[in-house]
Amino acid sequence: MRRKLFSLVVATALVLVAAGAAAAANGGFTPPTAHSPNAQRINDAYYLILGFTAFIFVLVEGVLLLFVVKYRSRGRGREVDGFQIHGHRRTELIWTAGPVLILAVIASFVFYKLPGITGVPQASAADQLQVTVEGRQFYWQFTYPNGAVSVDTLHVPVGEVVRLNVISRDVDHSWWIFELGGKWDAIPGHPNHTWFKVDQPGTYEGTCAELCGLQHAAMRAWVVAEPRDVYNPWVSAQKQKLDTGSPALGQEVAAGVCAKCHYFNQKQGSLVGPNLANNARLTDLNGLTTLVRNGGVLMPAVGKYWSDGQIRALVAYFKQQSGGASGGQG
Ligand code: CUA
């Protein structure tokens, strides 16, 4: 009876362990494939540590199971002591020196890799693109060298070093693109600097990794890596959109900033903030400027640092949406 119960417990445990690993797959058990040298170095450190810990886990659990079976009581009285041993010098040396060596190896490896993770590569400092990444409740705004801005989606040339100036002017956020390097906190008053060099064209997803308020979970981010001859015209056009207050930029801002907290269709009810369907303030330049610059009762001052062009673009988009006819006197 007891043996049956024991087998059942072991079998159940094995099933649970296997199910967990299977469900997690690459989605949680191992880091995603690295697409930047610094991300690769972080993964290298992860796998080294995983190797040691996996080995020790198997060793300890294996010996534990072996001893449980081999040295079970076999009907001996409960009050009978086990075989007494004291002081086995070789074993004690091994279990002291072993962990010390393992920790030394891990520490040396991490310190060896660290400069390549935090430090920006020296080569060709002239063509390094520098972008300001600002975390704000509840969106990411990117400012490019020519003054262009984009919201939530950062465009970069593939194969080039991109320096990121990670800042915040409201609360703590954390910039994290899974395949392009570790997390970098965006802290008010303390700019952080990181970089990446994307190895192949594509879209890389990320998220804010610091609880920053009600809509923290909506603070996703994307990095679009594209060839130089696609990036250059894109960034010029994006600047043009800002200068002219284009509704196309307004749409990007509305989707990235306003839509995190507001629905715009009456049928959808309300999200975190009130539903904005047919709200006259959206098409009133002065009214909307006051609102985004100062915030509302519960609304953060999302546009406190926006240029006039960015706000004009937003109003232009809302006017376009409402048919361009009626609206404020903006
Ligand atoms: Cu920003 Cu969480």
Side-chain angles (χ1 to χ4, degrees), residues 136 138 140 172-174 208-213 216-217 219:
R136 192 138 185 98
F138 295 96
W140 294 100
D172 291 1
H173 304 270
S174 182
C208 176
E210 179 73 49
L211 182 62
C212 54
H216 154 71
M219 239 180 120

Side-chain angles (χ1 to χ4, degrees), residues 13 18 30 37 40 42 48 71 85 92 103 106 152 185 225 287 317:
T30 55
Q40 185 57 52
I42 292 172
L48 179 80
Y71 298 110
I85 47 166
E92 286 178 1
L103 288 180
I106 290 174
D152 286 354
D185 285 350
Y317 168 69

